[in-house]
């Protein structure tokens, strides 16, 4: 303490002595103005507090000093009090008040008794801290192999809001909220909890809990044991599917708390087969297993589930389904024409496994069909019925399947090949494809031709279509035509007319490359973006340039970006590198405003564009 503070404190003591000695002897209660230390309240807990008193002046001498307190203001020695009994080494004394109620506000004053009466210090207040909640745990009921019902009752909130309550449970004792737990509202009172995700045939320890600002209180621990649960089993997908067989299986990942005495697969033609249907056993216990299904029928859909059995019953995996292969044929068309006709596609001359194919259908397994392009002026080829030369292989004169015949020879053309494995004949018709209909430039009188692109294996072209109908036709003959009876982009021979909803220039693609699965697309193309007149809200349509065989547009652009979009929809859009546009690619930037000519070339192995400022 510096000298100035010492002088100030001595002056304060002198003033206090003068005040005390000026009081009359008749006062039964002398009120001093004692100053308690700044540490007048210390170590407040839920049931105790320490109060410090400081005797400024003692007068004729105190016979008792201490702290009186109550839950009402202005406590006196007639309320609760604790006298100081320690050794007096200074004017300050501290007293611990114990046995207090939690979360309760108290009023306390230092007091001192001398022959003239009782004097009191200034009143101080403090509130004891809350305690953790008090609660009970209810007995466990509704016990199954993986669940149970429990709960508890928060009988005492502890003087603070109960912010969360529930039950905690574990396979070790005692459980805490660090283990598995439920959350069942807040506040005091009774509650019910559902325990789920339990293991079968297992002893659990459970107790209710409740949390307030003082911490977490727990009820008594109760125990229970789950029943044996069903095993957990998953079904593996079917593999090695043939015309009459397949493989499947499963994984038993959990035994339910009891021995898995049987496992395997069940199968049938109806969904959700059970052990009452066809069944193949595959041992016992947990783990993975594989089973083979044999004696199946051609081109038939089957349903399979894995199963596992223990003392609780039978558990099943998910239902999967598969279809056996049809009794169809696939023949290869190897020859010296392949590499020239299918450039860059990984096919090879005279390699059955790397050649175009013809295939039959389920409804007509002996009738094979497919389209094959032969680019040479003279093309040698054969039918190979396997992916090698093990045969039978067919050659000879055109129209006849001869297992000992020489190579067939055909001139350049895009051939529709049909082979009949029953009567050993075939046809190979050179075709030229186009579109026909009242939506097309030539109406129903003749087809407007498309161009074949060998590297893409498709017929393509840009054509102005009216809001009407069209079909695909070859060789100016209705003997060769495709429509779409399914209403999507799949084609069928002699199918329904294809509607056109909006008159515009369309880029059309006819894909006959996959036997018996023929498709088409007919798309309008335009530009969209903040660089275009319509912004990001409206497409600016492109038109077909028949000379350069590209989509083209000349328009004014502002600085910004754009993309190519089909049919005014984001289902199919192009962006990114102008030399290799990709679906959903990045926006194409426009650095400066001006008049531009833009092209879109869809005829190559990569989609390209040019952007030229005029």
């Amino acid at each position: 303490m510096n000298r100035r503070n010492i002088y100030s404190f001595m002056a304060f003591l002198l003033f206090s002595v003068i005040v005390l000695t000026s009081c009359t002897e008749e006062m039964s209660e002398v009120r001093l103005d004692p100053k308690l230390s700044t540490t007048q309240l210390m170590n407040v807990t839920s049931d105790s507090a320490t109060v410090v008193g400081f005797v400024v002046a003692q007068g004729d001498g105190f016979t008792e000093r201490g702290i009186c307190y109550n839950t009402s203001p202005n406590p006196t020695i007639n309320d609760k009090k604790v006298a100081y009994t320690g050794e007096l080494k200074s004017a300050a004394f501290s007293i611990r008040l114990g046995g207090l109620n939690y979360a309760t506000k108290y009023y306390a004053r230092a007091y001192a008794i001398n022959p003239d009466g009782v004097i009191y210090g200034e009143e101080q207040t403090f509130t004891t801290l809350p305690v953790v909640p008090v609660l009970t745990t209810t007995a466990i009921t509704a016990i199954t192999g993986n669940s149970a019902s429990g709960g508890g009752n928060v009988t005492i909130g502890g003087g603070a809001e109960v912010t969360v309550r529930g039950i905690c449970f574990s396979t070790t004792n005692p459980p805490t909220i660090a283990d598995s737990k439920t959350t069942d509202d807040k506040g005091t009172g009774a509650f019910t909890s559902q325990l789920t995700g339990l293991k079968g045939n297992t002893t659990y320890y459970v107790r209710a809990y409740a949390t307030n600002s003082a911490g977490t209180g727990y009820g008594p621990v109760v125990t229970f044991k789950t029943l044996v649960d069903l095993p957990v089993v998953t079904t593996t997908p079917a593999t090695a599917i043939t015309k009459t067989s397949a493989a499947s299986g499963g994984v038993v990942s959990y035994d339910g708390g009891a021995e898995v005495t049987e496992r395997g697969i069940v199968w049938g033609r109806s969904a959700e087969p059970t052990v009452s249907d066809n069944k193949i056993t595959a041992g016992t216990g947990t783990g993975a297993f594989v089973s083979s299904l044999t004696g199946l029928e051609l081109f038939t859909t089957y349903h399979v589930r894995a199963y596992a059995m223990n003392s609780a019953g039978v558990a099943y995996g998910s239902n999967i389904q598969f279809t056996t292969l049809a009794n169809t044929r696939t023949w290869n068309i190897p020859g010296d024409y392949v590499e020239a006709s299918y450039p860059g596609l990984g096919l090879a001359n005279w390699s059955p496994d790397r050649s175009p194919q013809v295939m039959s259908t389920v409804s007509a397994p002996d009738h094979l069909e497919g389209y094959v392009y032969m680019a040479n002026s003279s093309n040698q080829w054969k039918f190979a019925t396997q992916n090698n030369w093990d045969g039978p292989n067919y050659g000879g004169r055109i129209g006849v399947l001869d297992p000992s015949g020489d190579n067939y020879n055909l001139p350049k053309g895009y051939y529709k090949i049909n082979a009949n494995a029953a009567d050993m004949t075939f046809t190979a018709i050179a075709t030229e494809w186009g579109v026909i209909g009242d939506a097309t430039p030539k109406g129903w009188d003749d087809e407007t031709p498309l161009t074949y692109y060998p590297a893409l294996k498709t017929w393509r072209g840009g054509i102005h279509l009216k809001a009407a109908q069209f079909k695909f036709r070859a060789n100016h003959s209705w003997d060769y035509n495709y429509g779409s009876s399914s209403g999507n982009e799949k084609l069928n021979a002699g199918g329904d007319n294809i509607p056109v909803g909006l008159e515009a220039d369309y880029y059309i693609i006819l894909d006959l490359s996959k036997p018996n699965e023929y498709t088409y697309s007919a798309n309008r193309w335009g530009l969209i973006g903040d660089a275009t007149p319509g912004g990001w809200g409206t497409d600016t349509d492109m038109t077909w340039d028949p000379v350069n065989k590209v989509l083209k547009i000349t328009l004014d652009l502002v600085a910004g970006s754009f993309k190519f979009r089909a049919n005014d929809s984001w289902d199919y859009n192009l962006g990114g590198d102008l030399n290799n546009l990709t679906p959903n690619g990045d926006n194409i930037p426009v650095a400066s405003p001006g008049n531009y000519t833009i092209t879109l070339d869809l005829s190559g192995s990569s989609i390209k564009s040019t952007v030229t400022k005029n």
Side-chain angles (χ1 to χ4, degrees):
M1 180 180 293
N2 60 40
R3 179 174 298 177
R4 181 178 179 181
N5 289 339
I6 293 174
Y7 290 158
S8 298
F9 181 68
M10 293 179 64
F12 170 71
L13 291 178
L14 179 61
F15 173 77
S16 300
V17 171
I18 294 172
V19 171
L20 287 172
T21 56
S22 66
C23 297
T24 63
E25 294 185 359
E26 286 80 10
M27 293 176 62
S28 61
E29 183 176 285
V30 179
R31 302 252 177 210
L32 296 179
D33 188 18
K35 299 295 183 181
L36 299 179
S37 168
T38 55
T39 56
Q40 54 194 343
L41 292 174
M42 301 185 303
N43 303 325
V44 179
T45 69
S46 60
D47 62 355
S48 66
T50 298
V51 181
V52 177
F54 186 89
V55 178
V56 175
Q58 186 164 322
D60 292 337
F62 295 123
T63 58
E64 181 180 326
R65 71 189 69 188
I67 302 296
C68 58
Y69 62 99
N70 199 2
T71 55
S72 301
N74 300 316
T76 70
I77 60 174
N78 295 320
D79 298 310
K80 295 180 180 180
K81 67 172 184 170
V82 178
Y84 179 74
T85 58
E87 183 178 354
L88 290 172
K89 295 182 179 181
S90 66
F93 61 93
S94 63
I95 292 178
R96 179 182 181 276
L97 307 179
L100 306 180
N101 295 324
Y102 62 85
T104 302
K105 184 176 183 179
Y106 283 92
Y107 302 82
R109 294 196 292 180
Y111 75 89
I113 301 175
N114 64 14
D116 296 320
V118 181
I119 60 175
Y120 294 96
E122 63 184 7
E123 181 178 82
Q124 300 296 325
T125 63
F126 63 91
T127 300
T128 51
L129 302 179
V131 295
V132 298
V134 176
L135 62 163
T136 60
T137 307
T138 57
I140 305 300
T141 60
I143 300 170
T144 70
N146 53 46
S147 64
S149 180
N153 187 9
V154 182
T155 57
I156 298 176
E161 181 187 10
V162 175
T163 56
V164 62
R165 66 187 186 185
I167 57 175
C168 53
F169 55 98
S170 175
T171 56
T172 58
N173 190 26
T176 70
I177 56 174
D179 299 310
S180 300
K181 67 178 186 293
T182 67
T183 300
D184 302 286
D185 205 0
K186 58 185 179 180
T188 59
F191 60 90
T192 301
S193 300
Q194 300 301 319
L195 294 83
T196 58
L198 307 179
K199 296 293 185 181
N201 197 27
T202 301
T203 297
Y204 283 91
Y205 300 87
V206 180
R207 57 178 176 169
Y209 77 90
T211 300
N212 65 9
S213 60
T216 300
Y218 294 95
V221 175
V222 299
T223 63
F224 73 99
K225 188 174 185 178
T226 53
L227 305 179
V228 173
D229 196 11
L230 289 173
V232 173
V233 58
T234 57
T235 310
T236 55
T239 58
I241 301 170
T242 71
K243 296 177 181 180
T244 59
S245 64
S248 184
V251 178
V252 181
S253 57
Y254 168 57
D255 62 10
E259 180 187 6
V260 174
T261 56
E262 183 177 311
R263 66 185 188 185
I265 59 173
V266 291
W267 56 278
R269 296 186 181 183
S270 300
E272 311 296 334
T274 70
V275 291
S276 299
D277 299 309
N278 301 301
K279 179 177 74 169
I280 301 174
T281 59
T284 61
T286 58
F289 59 91
V290 178
S291 300
S292 296
L293 296 87
T294 58
L296 307 179
E297 296 186 11
L298 296 172
F299 199 59
T300 302
T301 298
Y302 289 94
H303 297 264
V304 179
R305 290 200 293 176
Y307 77 92
M309 187 182 303
N310 66 6
S311 59
V314 182
Y316 295 96
S318 59
N319 182 91
I320 66 167
Q321 66 182 56
F322 68 93
T323 301
T324 51
L325 301 181
N327 190 21
T328 58
R329 301 173 188 263
T330 300
W331 290 357
N332 304 299
I333 315 294
D336 65 0
Y337 71 95
V338 174
E339 292 177 7
S341 305
Y342 296 90
L345 298 179
L347 302 183
N349 290 343
W350 295 114
S351 298
D353 62 332
R354 298 170 66 188
S355 300
Q357 296 176 327
V358 292
M359 299 175 64
S360 66
T361 62
V362 175
S363 59
D366 291 328
H367 295 266
L368 297 92
E369 179 179 300
Y371 285 86
V372 179
Y373 178 58
M374 298 183 181
N376 300 325
S377 58
S378 177
N379 302 275
Q380 301 283 329
W381 61 281
K382 275 192 166 186
F383 288 102
T385 61
Q386 300 188 58
N387 287 333
N388 49 48
W389 290 107
D390 292 347
N393 307 303
Y394 300 114
R397 60 187 175 88
I398 295 296
V400 177
L401 298 173
D402 183 352
S404 59
D406 293 332
N407 299 337
Y408 299 116
N409 192 318
L410 286 174
K412 180 178 180 179
Y414 185 84
Y415 288 92
K416 180 179 186 288
I417 297 178
N418 291 86
N420 189 326
D423 63 14
M424 303 300 287
T425 62
F426 78 95
T427 59
I429 307 297
T431 58
E432 293 283 339
W433 288 89
V435 292
I436 190 170
D438 53 7
T440 69
K442 297 182 180 181
W444 290 107
D445 295 330
D446 197 6
E447 57 260 23
T448 299
L450 297 170
T451 301
Y452 183 70
Y453 291 86
L456 301 176
K457 298 193 294 184
T458 54
W459 294 83
R460 295 172 175 238
I463 300 176
H464 186 83
L465 297 179
K466 300 176 183 178
Q469 298 176 322
F470 75 96
K471 297 186 78 172
F472 294 94
R473 195 174 77 160
N475 301 353
H476 314 290
S477 171
W478 287 108
D479 291 341
Y480 313 101
N481 77 91
Y482 292 105
S484 181
S485 300
S486 59
N488 52 28
E489 294 186 341
K490 294 181 180 180
L491 295 171
N492 55 294
D496 295 340
N497 296 342
I498 300 169
V500 177
L502 182 66
E503 181 173 359
D505 283 5
Y506 286 79
Y507 191 82
I508 296 177
I509 300 174
L510 172 63
D511 187 351
L512 304 175
S513 62
K514 190 170 183 179
N516 300 311
E517 295 185 19
Y518 310 133
T519 61
Y520 81 97
S521 64
N523 295 317
R524 294 178 288 106
W525 283 93
L527 273 62
I528 190 169
D530 54 12
T532 70
W536 289 108
T538 304
D539 294 71
T540 303
D541 293 336
M542 306 183 77
T543 58
W544 178 247
D545 179 352
V547 176
N548 297 299
K549 296 187 181 300
V550 294
L551 289 156
K552 186 176 181 181
I553 188 172
T554 298
L555 77 168
D556 292 330
L557 297 178
V558 299
S561 62
F562 72 92
K563 298 188 78 172
F564 296 98
R565 195 167 75 156
N567 306 320
D568 304 324
S569 170
W570 287 110
D571 291 344
Y572 187 26
N573 67 89
L574 300 170
D577 185 353
L578 293 178
N579 291 313
N580 186 21
L581 296 172
T582 56
N584 303 312
D586 294 337
N587 295 346
I588 301 167
V590 176
S592 60
N595 184 262
Y596 288 81
T597 296
I598 298 175
T599 66
L600 177 63
D601 186 354
L602 300 166
S603 63
S605 56
S606 61
I607 302 174
K608 298 181 179 181
S609 171
T610 63
V611 179
T612 305
K613 189 173 184 181
N614 299 317

